[in-house]
Amino acid sequence: MKQKPAVSVIGMGYVGLCTAAAFASRGIRTIGIDIDEGRVEQIRRGKAPLHEPQLGTMLKHAVKKKLLDASSDISVATNTNTSFLTVGTPSQPDGSIDLSYIKNATEDLGNALSDKRGYHLVVVKSTVVPGTTNGTVKRFLEQSSRKTIGSELGLCANPEFLKEGTAIDDALHPDKIVIGSNDKRSASELTKLYRRFYGAKLPPLILTSPEAAELVKYASNAFLATKVSFINTIANIAEQIPGVDVGTIAEAIGLDPRIGPLFLKAGPGYGGSCFHKDLQALINYSQNKNYDPVLFRATEETNEQQASRVVGLAEKLLGSLSSKRVAVLGLSFKKDTDDIREAASIRVINHLKKKGAQVIAYDPMAIPNTKKKLLDQIDYAENAHSALKGADCAIIMTEWEQIRKLKAKDFQAYMKTPNIVDARRIYNPAEFSGLNYVSIGLGPSTGMR
Ligand code: UGA
């Protein structure tokens, strides 16, 4: 990169990398920083180190045009005007937030900035509990840089709302931008950058305190997770009522604009790297403030129980699962990703193993990650048909297109007995009428979906 980059993004995980790629795609020169040299090298070659649609093409293009570069040396951030912190904030064993990556990155950045002349804006994009930006981050940054926020340094909280699988689209067309800061200059510098990025299409801008911005992120994920647990609760009630399908209920209530149609798909429970982690962090944070958020504990408990309900449906068809061959179709926490973090499939497999079942799993992308986690506790199949071969039961865990395309005759042809638990509700029950088919949220003897 000949000209100086304008923006540095610290932490080349999926949020950081997609953010950096999005900036570069709009002509904003960006440098990504990560301590993992292998990852840095890959990015410099224009190769995506993780699976995300559009990301590979964007990286290749941005690197070629010299709009994106990467480095493992954090001091390069001092050449830019703005540094985004996008490092991970995992959970501690008690569910509380682990800020060690934030602390390390902030300290390293502060040390590098101590020699810089001129203003530098630091933006916390990582998900952090309220008070972190203005507490831990501010303290670490001021101590290590020996500068003061407000004069030579700016500080903002600016959460992201990217979804895996559509992260690039989400970054290019967000429904809002939330900026939390305590001083006018920080907020106006960041607004200026986003104006440059979005031009005339600047999304609604919420300017607020850092604490409120931080809470917006948790409120958003807590609401979405609660919406999923809500519809799963209705699904579990619907299953008890002949002629009722939760899909009809979701469709009807979704037409009420106060409720809305999205995030009302009943299933095996939510997974992914964020909902469980963020709810646990919010519950822990809130309890430390002497308020017990009963609703969010119920959201999490409902989600945990949903996996045993899926296994319960298999037991309804098979009786005891001991020594039964169960094909698990789909392992990733949702389709089009190889991510199995907190995936419902893992909870279901653990229950199945405890009950003595013999599990064979298929997923178009997530087998390598599952092997790393479950090792040889289960068998793996190269395709759906070979997973089904000789199986006593099939459980649909992820809504992959390859799995959705299977027909009743595929199950009939390959399985020992065609017992199907459709935990993702991807098939039309009417087409499976000759088979032993049950689905989450489907009451007894419902004809059509
Ligand atoms: C989620 C949020 O949707 C993003 O806005 C947020 O930025 C992100 O977490 C984060 O904090 O980083 P993501 O984890 O990629 O994004 O996944 P989602 O698409 O939200 O799905 C989460 C889980 O809920 C999946 O297991 C999905 O299958 C499940 N889900 C979703 C349902 O079971 N039913 C639905 O109707 C919707």
Side-chain angles (χ1 to χ4, degrees):
M1 216 180 268
K2 280 206 180 90
Q3 284 172 295
K4 279 184 185 175
V7 164
S8 45
V9 182
I10 301 166
M12 287 286 97
Y14 115 94
V15 170
L17 195 53
C18 292
T19 306
F23 276 130
S25 77
R26 293 283 163 94
I28 297 173
R29 288 187 316 283
T30 302
I31 183 142
I33 297 166
D34 202 287
I35 47 175
D36 180 340
E37 291 187 7
R39 184 164 279 240
V40 165
E41 267 321 299
Q42 241 180 310
I43 299 167
R44 297 197 75 186
R45 279 186 274 120
K47 291 248 162 13
L50 47 92
H51 175 79
E52 183 63 37
Q54 299 185 58
L55 181 64
T57 326
M58 276 174 92
L59 284 184
K60 208 168 130 190
H61 190 73
V63 168
K64 202 169 150 202
K65 289 216 142 185
K66 302 203 181 314
L67 286 164
L68 180 70
D69 198 358
S71 172
S72 55
D73 174 10
I74 202 162
S75 69
V76 298
T78 57
N79 296 328
T80 69
N81 307 322
T82 306
S83 295
F84 287 86
L85 286 172
T86 53
V87 294
T89 49
S91 293
Q92 310 234 49
D94 67 352
S96 65
I97 189 166
D98 175 355
L99 290 175
S100 53
Y101 297 112
I102 284 279
K103 288 178 182 168
N104 291 343
T106 308
E107 199 163 41
D108 292 347
L109 177 64
N111 282 329
L113 289 173
S114 62
D115 294 332
K116 177 174 174 170
R117 288 167 69 187
Y119 187 78
H120 194 93
L121 176 63
V122 178
V123 183
V124 180
K125 220 176 220 324
S126 305
T127 300
V128 291
V129 292
T132 307
T133 301
N134 216 17
T136 308
V137 174
K138 182 175 176 199
R139 206 171 57 246
F140 272 68
L141 197 59
E142 288 190 331
Q143 272 169 10
S144 53
S145 68
R146 295 186 299 275
K147 293 181 177 185
T148 320
I149 307 288
S151 51
E152 298 146 291
L153 280 178
L155 184 60
C156 287
N158 172 223
E160 56 76 29
F161 305 94
L162 313 180
K163 298 182 286 303
E164 278 191 51
T166 55
I168 296 295
D169 257 358
D170 294 340
L172 296 177
H173 313 283
D175 46 27
K176 68 210 162 266
I177 292 173
V178 181
I179 296 177
S181 94
N182 280 335
D183 68 292
K184 277 208 179 109
R185 178 157 183 201
S186 304
S188 93
E189 293 287 339
L190 190 54
T191 306
K192 231 194 291 171
L193 179 67
Y194 281 126
R195 273 191 205 289
R196 197 177 143 199
F197 185 98
Y198 294 106
K201 290 191 181 142
L202 185 74
L205 205 59
I206 311 279
L207 293 176
T208 182
S209 67
E211 293 77 10
E214 291 161 333
L215 188 55
V216 168
K217 169 70 187 189
Y218 283 95
S220 178
N221 276 357
F223 186 87
L224 293 169
T226 302
K227 211 170 172 190
V228 173
S229 279
F230 167 84
I231 201 64
N232 285 342
T233 301
I234 298 293
N236 299 340
I237 296 171
E239 264 165 48
Q240 315 308 316
I241 316 170
V244 173
D245 182 336
V246 70
T248 314
I249 316 299
E251 187 189 350
I253 64 172
L255 289 170
D256 183 333
R258 293 170 302 175
I259 297 175
L262 304 179
F263 264 73
L264 285 180
K265 281 202 195 98
Y270 55 78
S273 63
C274 299
F275 284 180
H276 171 65
K277 165 182 87 80
D278 291 351
L279 271 158
Q280 286 302 318
L282 184 58
I283 292 167
N284 185 285
Y285 173 83
S286 177
Q287 285 172 340
N288 282 334
K289 301 270 175 215
N290 290 321
Y291 172 68
D292 182 18
V294 183
L295 177 65
F296 301 148
R297 283 200 289 113
T299 294
E300 280 276 271
E301 203 178 320
T302 304
N303 197 54
E304 188 67 38
Q305 282 173 10
Q306 199 63 5
S308 44
R309 291 203 57 95
V310 172
V311 176
L313 288 177
E315 283 176 316
K316 212 162 115 186
L317 295 173
L318 292 174
S320 163
L321 295 177
S322 175
S323 305
K324 296 281 164 52
R325 188 170 172 83
V326 179
V328 170
L329 300 188
L331 293 162
S332 56
F333 82 100
K334 61 179 180 183
K335 67 173 180 174
D336 299 335
T337 172
D338 62 355
D339 195 343
I340 57 152
R341 285 176 292 173
E342 301 301 330
S345 65
I346 305 297
R347 292 190 285 278
V348 164
I349 288 171
N350 286 338
H351 284 299
L352 291 170
K353 292 300 291 177
K354 263 193 211 130
K355 292 186 182 273
Q358 190 203 334
V359 177
I360 175 148
Y362 164 70
D363 188 284
M365 278 177 74
I367 288 179
N369 282 338
T370 311
K371 275 188 180 163
K372 277 185 220 151
K373 189 173 172 76
L374 297 179
L375 308 170
D376 56 1
Q377 286 180 56
I378 62 168
D379 293 321
Y380 300 92
E382 276 187 9
N383 54 49
H385 287 166
S386 57
L388 291 176
K389 227 172 258 171
D392 298 290
C393 181
I395 305 184
I396 313 302
M397 287 304 301
T398 315
E399 70 284 23
W400 285 99
E401 214 35 57
Q402 292 92 323
I403 299 172
R404 195 187 288 274
K405 273 195 202 141
L406 294 173
K407 298 271 178 275
K409 63 174 178 3
D410 295 303
F411 292 91
Q412 223 146 13
Y414 290 95
M415 293 178 74
K416 190 164 146 202
T417 345
N419 292 305
I420 297 145
V421 177
D422 185 356
R424 282 289 179 171
R425 305 172 39 78
I426 57 176
Y427 301 126
N428 181 349
E431 286 168 17
F432 281 69
S433 55
L435 286 71
N436 302 325
Y437 173 90
V438 291
S439 142
I440 287 280
L442 185 66
S445 62
T446 322
M448 283 185 289
R449 180 174 287 159

